[in-house]
Amino acid sequence: MKRIFTRISVLAGICLLAINVAFAQNITVKGRVTDGGDKSTIPSVSVLVKGTQNGTQTDATGAFSINAPANATLVFTYIGYVTQEVPVNNRTTLNIVLASNSQQLDQVVVVGYGTQRKIDVTGSVASVKGEDISKQASVNPISALQGKVAGVNITNSGSPGSSPQITIRGTGTIYGNLGVLYVVDGVWFDDVSFLNPSDIENLSILKDASSQSIYGIRAANGVVLITTKKGKTGDPVISYNGSVGYKKVTNQIEMANATEYATIINELIKSNDATAAPLFANPASYGEGTNWYNQGFRNALQTNHQISVNGGTEKTTYNFSLGYTNEEGIVKTQDYTRYTAKLSNDFQVLKPLKIGYTVSGTAINSNDIDGGIFRQLYAAGPVVPVYYADGSYGDANDFGLGGGNNFNPQVTLDYFNQKSKNYRITGNVYAELTFAKHFTFRTSAGGEFAQNEVRAYAPVYQATQGQRNTQSKLDIKRDENRNWIVENTLTYKNTFGDHNITILAGTTAQRRKNYFINSAAFDVPYSSDGDLYLALGSAGTRTVGDGGSLRTSASYFGRVNYSFKDRYLLNATIRRDGASQFFNGGDLWGNFPAVGAGWVVTSEDFMKDQKVVNYLKLKGSWGKVGNAGVPVNPTTLTIAQGGNLVAFFNGVGYTGASVNSIVPSFLNWERTVGTDLGLEARFLDNRLSIETGFYNKKTQQAIFDINVLSSIGTASSKLIGNQADFQNRGFEFLATYADKTKSDFSYSVSANVGINNNKVLSVITGLNPIYGGGQGIANGALATRTVQGSPIGAFFGYQVAGIFQNAADVAASAQKTSAKPGDFKYVDTNGDGVIDGKDRVVLGNPNPKYSYGLSSTFGYKNFDLTLDIQGVADVDVYNANIAYRFGNENFSKDFYDNRWHGEGTSTTYPSANVGSTANAAPNSFYVEDGSYIRLRNIQLGYVLPASLMNKLSIKKVRVFADAQNAVNLFGYKGFTPEIGYDTGSGPTSRGIDANVYPLSATYRLGLQVTF
């Protein structure tokens, strides 16, 4: 920390000399603050010199007096009223009129292609300030939203730099592009991991079809609008924001120690062969053994630094920032480093013409880990040491542990060598012309160039009998994305009498190009400095392959917003999209209409004399959006040649060809139709605000692939098509209470809850159920089923009724030919006296029904405290780790303590033979409650006294300490119940824990300085 303070001091001196800021002489400013409604004076109004801690309050008559620079800006704040900033401009008297907080409904809300007053919004739009995002320890800005917005479910991964999975109002599709659309300063993205959270000014989440429809083609899974920080008129303001801390694994699974492991392995051998000798003659002699989690995990360092410069004149404004983030993984050898730079300029060229640009660059480097390391750390035998006395690696084979337990995780950590690099440049340039008083024409062009490279090297080594490599290999994968988007809009805005109207018309053209190349070579010699090239390998072993895709789209859209007396509101939108991936044999063009209406009840005459409700608005909307996230030309039939295919013409053999895919003759757009009803209200002099909403979202003609018989002779065993309809129906609630006392204590408490029910409404005639979730399941069994009447990806298998205690118990059951004592006893659900696939039932739902959050802030003088709590309820997860066994893998301490190891020892846990075919089949034992509640974030900050800062010529210094995920409460027996889906399989694999990246808590100390 000493280095940080030293660097900041040097930086401050350089910046102050370079900018040569001249502080104006202080003057005494006096005045009175009155209510804009009844003209009464307001006592206890906070009066603050902007950018300092110099402040005062109005007295009982609303009067104030304060010493301030002649060119300062005074900030007037009072609960129930709109905050007002007033430049002094050498004036010694200022009389201020504050507007009631009901006027906060005039605050601007960012929506698609512009902004709206909050009072005019008829859809469901949630806004989060950038400062709330930057307070979190999350490297990815979307991770910081967890628990803050009703109806938005975010699943994080503990891996450094990873992108969270975000679901808005439930899962609406199971194929293709499952993510939301991110619009950053007008440019469309699938991921925003390149963004520095400190660069964000505001984030809006469009949750209903009415607000989303303006983005028709890509809005089916929701839209997140991100506005980055822009320059502001005034002297240069230099800011530094930095933190240092560490991450620590939470809720680490306790595994059986060496003695316990040896005991249960002996039991496993005995269960399979009653005459076999035990593998470990004296289990107690092994003691505690090796704790492989402690060996592989560490407390990981995390550092973050950002510096920004902001300022401008009436003609031009600027904002520039540089950021550095380094985050170690909790697994040794893993780390992630990100560098960011951003520059934006806005120029008022002429009074009616404004132009500007934003450009940002990101460079990311990471040292990766083997994806199977968590499986190894879980399963490795604790009787095996990390190293022998001579320094060689401990070998499982030396202990008779072959098969699936034939590894030493330390070998994997030491010899896995993969590095990833990602470079991305994004930008946007615009021009905005105002003419004929009410018209504004805006044109913008933006895009990105991104390159990702992964270099993996496997050297020659021999560490153990099972972990060795006799031929080195270098793999290089490079992926490029070159995307651009051009948009033009014309806006007409006018007020006449009691009527307000805004009309928007626009066009969009977009091009997304991807190119990749995969190459490899064997016999590449090792280089200690990391210089590894394919050309160094054997010429005959080099391989290369490439490919890519090109997607284009054209769109036309329009929107009308109308209000009468700010009482009756109407919003209508239409968008027409054409997408190239439907060019051959598809529904090329899609139309996406929407309409919304609102009624401000408190504007009616019959509500004017009541004092209970300060504001009440009822609103409703309907809309349609689309999902174009499918492969290019999905209806095009393709063929492939192969050496095993021969065609004879005139007795001469030729290389044959075969159809290698099955395609539909025609494909419709996947559409989502949504209905939304809502209420907004304020009570108690606007201190209490409430927002509620009900939604019904239906995905029509959902696109996904289904299994087909391999006997038809194609390389592909799946058929893509419009197969089913889904529904997400739910309720959302948000309540916020904010107040400030006369003793300099202020607080705000906000609570939200979302309730969602996901269900498959229908499937095409004769369609078999969609089975999934085989990743990480023993024997590759499919543990989920999607079928009419059930949720997407519901867990499906056998219902466990208990554990067989003896041979007589087995003989009397329907499993008499396939079970033995210690095995699961399954329920014969159809009563036919046989246990088979027909007895499987729905076991659980991986889609959370309830999600909730509590966000609170407290302030007392120079102290501030932020507290966030988040959780989900009524959700299930599948613990696949227990039965995923191929030999002598370790067991959790929980399993060891509760296992069946003789008649009467357990009626719930099976024997050590849990990995057998009979016991490993998907069943209710592996389905556990996935509900949790956690202390998502707690941060305590302190602003150093203004008197001290003035002496140092610094505007503000704030120090803080925080903790993220420090407290986690759940009953699940794994690391974390926060489990998403496998990206290759989609939502049909949601909630399956096959050794997911563990959850970690982050503890930080931070510093914020403004010059």
Side-chain angles (χ1 to χ4, degrees):
M1 293 299 293
K2 184 176 180 181
R3 289 185 181 178
I4 296 176
F5 280 111
T6 302
R7 291 174 181 175
I8 292 173
S9 300
V10 173
L11 178 63
I14 294 173
C15 293
L16 291 172
L17 289 173
I19 301 172
N20 193 21
V21 179
F23 291 90
Q25 184 177 2
N26 284 2
I27 61 175
T28 300
V29 183
K30 297 181 179 181
R32 194 177 303 275
V33 180
T34 57
D35 186 294
D38 58 17
K39 309 304 180 185
S40 61
T41 58
I42 310 176
S44 302
V45 175
S46 171
V47 184
L48 184 71
V49 178
K50 185 175 181 180
T52 74
Q53 295 300 307
N54 179 21
T56 186
Q57 289 187 339
T58 58
D59 60 21
T61 65
F64 71 91
S65 177
I66 188 171
N67 289 324
N71 63 347
T73 297
L74 299 185
V75 182
F76 297 84
T77 307
Y78 191 70
I79 295 296
Y81 291 83
V82 178
T83 298
Q84 191 173 149
E85 297 186 5
V86 181
V88 174
N89 291 336
N90 292 304
R91 292 176 291 179
T92 57
T93 301
L94 291 175
N95 291 317
I96 306 301
V97 178
L98 290 184
S100 170
N101 215 13
S102 61
Q103 297 302 313
Q104 283 193 354
L105 300 169
D106 288 332
Q107 68 181 331
V108 172
V109 177
V110 178
V111 296
Y113 299 98
T115 59
Q116 285 182 268
R117 297 181 307 163
K118 184 172 176 59
I119 191 176
D120 293 329
V121 176
T122 59
S124 184
V125 181
S127 295
V128 180
K129 296 180 180 178
E131 61 189 62
D132 294 332
I133 296 173
S134 61
K135 282 186 177 180
Q136 301 274 353
S138 305
V139 174
N140 189 294
I142 304 304
S143 297
L145 294 178
Q146 192 173 47
K148 289 189 171 296
V149 181
V152 177
N153 188 272
I154 293 173
T155 304
N156 287 308
S157 167
S159 182
S162 61
S163 298
Q165 294 174 355
I166 175 173
T167 304
I168 300 177
R169 291 184 168 180
T171 301
T173 187
I174 64 173
Y175 185 81
N177 191 338
L178 305 172
V180 304
L181 168 64
Y182 297 100
V183 183
V184 183
D185 295 330
V187 183
W188 296 20
F189 297 97
D190 294 326
D191 175 72
V192 290
S193 58
F194 64 91
L195 270 182
N196 189 325
S198 297
D199 283 330
I200 295 177
E201 180 71 26
N202 179 79
L203 188 149
S204 290
I205 302 173
L206 311 184
K207 297 191 291 183
D208 73 311
S210 172
S211 59
Q212 297 166 352
S213 65
I214 198 72
Y215 292 104
I217 189 175
R218 275 293 318 278
N221 297 315
V223 183
V224 177
L225 307 179
I226 298 176
T227 304
T228 61
K229 293 178 180 178
K230 307 295 182 184
K232 297 180 180 179
T233 302
D235 294 333
V237 176
I238 302 173
S239 300
Y240 166 80
N241 186 353
S243 65
V244 60
Y246 72 95
K247 298 193 303 179
K248 181 180 181 181
V249 174
T250 65
N251 303 88
Q252 181 171 309
I253 300 174
E254 185 179 1
M255 304 300 294
N257 63 30
T259 296
E260 295 163 340
Y261 171 79
T263 300
I264 197 171
I265 290 299
N266 285 344
E267 291 176 12
L268 176 61
I269 294 172
K270 194 75 171 176
S271 70
N272 290 318
D273 184 357
T275 63
L279 180 62
F280 301 99
N282 183 12
S285 66
Y286 292 94
E288 291 292 322
T290 303
N291 186 317
W292 285 107
Y293 277 135
N294 290 348
Q295 177 65 25
F297 290 163
R298 64 180 173 184
N299 290 341
L301 181 67
Q302 183 188 70
T303 58
N304 183 71
H305 306 282
Q306 194 216 37
I307 186 168
S308 64
V309 183
N310 190 300
T313 65
E314 293 182 358
K315 294 293 185 181
T316 179
T317 58
Y318 57 88
N319 180 281
F320 173 70
S321 69
L322 290 173
Y324 167 78
T325 297
N326 179 261
E327 184 179 13
E328 293 180 342
I330 59 171
V331 178
K332 296 174 182 177
T333 73
Q334 184 185 24
D335 64 64
Y336 169 90
T337 304
R338 182 181 68 190
Y339 304 87
T340 61
K342 174 182 168 292
L343 174 64
S344 66
N345 275 117
D346 295 283
F347 306 93
Q348 196 71 50
V349 180
L350 301 170
K351 187 175 182 180
L353 178 62
K354 184 178 182 179
I355 63 174
Y357 69 89
T358 298
V359 61
S360 64
T362 306
I364 297 173
N365 298 318
S366 66
N367 288 313
D368 306 327
I369 56 173
D370 189 311
I373 188 63
F374 296 109
R375 164 69 185 161
Q376 293 187 14
L377 293 172
Y378 181 93
V383 297
V384 181
V386 181
Y387 304 103
Y388 292 130
D390 62 0
S392 61
Y393 290 101
D395 192 341
N397 288 278
D398 294 340
F399 297 82
L401 303 173
N405 191 32
N406 190 12
F407 45 70
N408 178 327
Q410 188 62 49
V411 175
T412 302
L413 291 174
D414 290 343
Y415 284 98
F416 184 81
N417 183 352
Q418 178 174 295
K419 301 180 184 297
S420 299
K421 296 182 179 181
N422 182 279
Y423 305 99
R424 186 190 302 257
I425 297 176
T426 66
N428 173 268
V429 60
Y430 77 92
E432 192 171 273
L433 177 66
T434 302
F435 62 97
K437 190 177 181 179
H438 302 296
F439 290 90
T440 302
F441 174 75
R442 179 184 175 93
T443 183
S444 66
E448 66 168 333
F449 173 79
Q451 177 177 296
N452 182 63
E453 181 180 281
V454 179
R455 300 172 68 92
Y457 179 69
V460 174
Y461 71 95
Q462 181 167 348
T464 68
Q465 293 184 49
Q467 291 172 285
R468 57 184 178 176
N469 186 44
T470 58
Q471 186 178 26
S472 65
K473 184 183 180 183
L474 175 65
D475 284 280
I476 299 179
K477 300 179 180 179
R478 181 172 295 170
D479 185 272
E480 291 184 0
N481 289 288
R482 301 179 183 182
N483 308 323
W484 58 255
I485 182 171
V486 176
E487 296 187 305
N488 298 288
T489 60
L490 179 63
T491 304
Y492 170 80
K493 187 173 184 178
N494 196 6
T495 300
F496 45 95
D498 295 325
H499 307 273
N500 288 294
I501 188 169
T502 301
I503 302 175
L504 170 75
T507 65
T508 297
Q510 191 170 14
R511 183 177 186 268
R512 300 173 64 84
K513 183 179 181 181
N514 168 265
Y515 173 74
F516 66 87
I517 182 170
N518 298 330
S519 56
F522 286 91
D523 301 321
V524 176
Y526 175 75
S527 173
S528 60
D529 59 6
D531 288 333
L532 301 168
Y533 303 101
L534 297 173
L536 300 176
S538 300
T541 67
R542 298 173 199 159
T543 60
V544 64
D546 64 349
S549 64
L550 177 64
R551 293 177 172 87
T552 59
S553 63
S555 310
Y556 307 91
F557 54 89
R559 180 175 61 208
V560 176
N561 294 320
Y562 170 78
S563 69
F564 176 70
K565 291 186 175 180
D566 287 339
R567 183 183 305 172
Y568 308 114
L569 316 170
L570 180 66
N571 176 298
T573 304
I574 182 68
R575 182 171 180 123
R576 180 169 171 80
D577 284 312
S580 62
Q581 51 264 53
F582 293 92
F583 183 74
N584 292 316
D587 194 357
L588 179 60
W589 289 92
N591 298 314
F592 306 101
V595 62
W599 176 30
V600 184
V601 182
T602 42
S603 294
E604 299 287 356
D605 292 338
F606 64 81
M607 293 288 288
K608 289 185 177 180
D609 294 331
Q610 59 85 33
K611 302 297 183 182
V612 178
V613 183
N614 304 113
Y615 175 75
L616 176 63
K617 180 173 75 173
L618 304 177
K619 59 183 181 179
S621 65
W622 173 93
K624 181 182 291 187
V625 291
N627 185 4
V630 298
V632 176
N633 298 328
T635 60
T636 301
L637 189 68
T638 59
I639 62 173
Q641 290 184 314
N644 61 327
L645 301 173
V646 181
F648 289 93
F649 295 94
N650 297 324
V652 180
Y654 296 89
T655 301
S658 174
V659 174
N660 66 350
S661 63
I662 310 172
V663 299
S665 59
F666 189 84
L667 200 64
N668 288 311
W669 284 78
E670 181 177 291
R671 293 174 169 85
T672 298
V673 180
T675 302
D676 192 87
L677 298 174
L679 175 150
E680 298 176 14
R682 291 176 181 264
F683 307 90
L684 305 176
D685 294 328
N686 296 297
R687 290 191 293 270
L688 174 64
S689 63
I690 292 176
E691 293 186 29
T692 65
F694 166 82
Y695 62 88
N696 187 25
K697 185 174 72 170
K698 294 182 180 181
T699 301
Q700 300 174 338
Q701 297 184 314
I703 300 173
F704 56 89
D705 49 21
I706 59 174
N707 294 324
V708 296
L709 295 175
S710 58
S711 58
I712 62 177
T714 66
S716 172
S717 60
K718 296 182 181 296
L719 169 65
I720 299 173
N722 300 107
Q723 314 287 10
D725 294 341
F726 309 137
Q727 175 182 268
N728 286 280
R729 178 180 292 174
F731 175 80
E732 297 170 353
F733 177 82
L734 169 66
T736 303
Y737 188 89
D739 201 359
K740 181 176 182 179
T741 68
K742 295 182 180 180
S743 58
D744 293 328
F745 177 71
S746 61
Y747 61 92
S748 173
V749 180
S750 179
N752 73 81
V753 62
I755 304 173
N756 184 75
N757 288 285
N758 176 273
K759 185 170 67 172
V760 178
L761 296 178
S762 63
V763 294
I764 63 174
T765 303
L767 176 66
N768 293 322
I770 309 164
Y771 292 98
Q775 295 73 20
I777 305 295
N779 304 316
L782 301 176
T784 73
R785 186 183 70 163
T786 301
V787 68
Q788 182 174 332
S790 294
I792 294 175
F795 297 128
F796 186 70
Y798 297 100
Q799 185 67 47
V800 175
I803 304 297
F804 289 114
Q805 298 298 316
N806 50 50
D809 196 10
V810 175
S813 75
Q815 297 168 245
K816 52 182 173 287
T817 60
S818 60
K820 56 187 176 182
D823 286 353
F824 287 121
K825 183 186 299 183
Y826 296 134
V827 176
D828 182 10
T829 57
N830 64 358
D832 63 359
V834 178
I835 299 299
D836 55 21
K838 298 176 183 178
D839 293 304
R840 292 176 297 172
V841 295
V842 173
L843 303 175
N845 185 358
N847 304 285
K849 183 175 182 179
Y850 303 99
S851 58
Y852 55 89
L854 177 69
S855 300
S856 54
T857 58
F858 305 90
Y860 179 71
K861 295 186 177 180
N862 287 20
F863 288 93
D864 61 87
L865 175 68
T866 299
L867 182 68
D868 296 329
I869 296 174
Q870 174 264 333
V872 300
D874 199 0
V875 60
D876 300 299
V877 295
Y878 191 97
N879 192 340
N881 303 313
I882 300 173
Y884 194 65
R885 312 178 60 79
F886 300 95
N888 298 314
E889 290 88 350
N890 198 9
F891 297 81
S892 69
K893 184 67 162 58
D894 170 75
F895 187 90
Y896 175 83
D897 289 342
N898 296 283
R899 77 195 186 284
W900 185 94
H901 53 285
E903 186 171 350
T905 54
S906 177
T907 59
T908 54
Y909 281 60
S911 70
N913 199 31
V914 65
S916 67
T917 302
N919 291 321
N923 65 62
S924 58
F925 176 79
Y926 305 114
V927 178
E928 301 183 37
D929 184 4
S931 302
Y932 69 85
I933 181 172
R934 71 164 55 109
L935 179 59
R936 175 61 180 166
N937 186 56
I938 181 170
Q939 184 178 99
L940 177 65
Y942 177 73
V943 178
L944 273 61
S947 56
L948 175 62
M949 295 302 97
N950 290 336
K951 293 179 181 179
L952 299 175
S953 299
I954 299 176
K955 292 183 178 180
K956 181 180 179 180
V957 173
R958 177 178 179 267
V959 294
F960 67 87
D962 63 18
Q964 185 178 80
N965 300 334
V967 180
N968 304 273
L969 303 177
F970 55 82
Y972 177 59
K973 296 180 178 63
F975 275 103
T976 172
E978 185 179 345
I979 302 169
Y981 54 80
D982 179 80
T983 55
S985 303
T988 58
S989 65
R990 182 186 296 277
I992 297 177
D993 181 3
N995 287 287
V996 299
Y997 203 107
L999 180 71
S1000 60
T1002 304
Y1003 303 90
R1004 300 188 305 167
L1005 293 175
L1007 175 68
Q1008 297 169 330
V1009 183
T1010 304
F1011 302 103

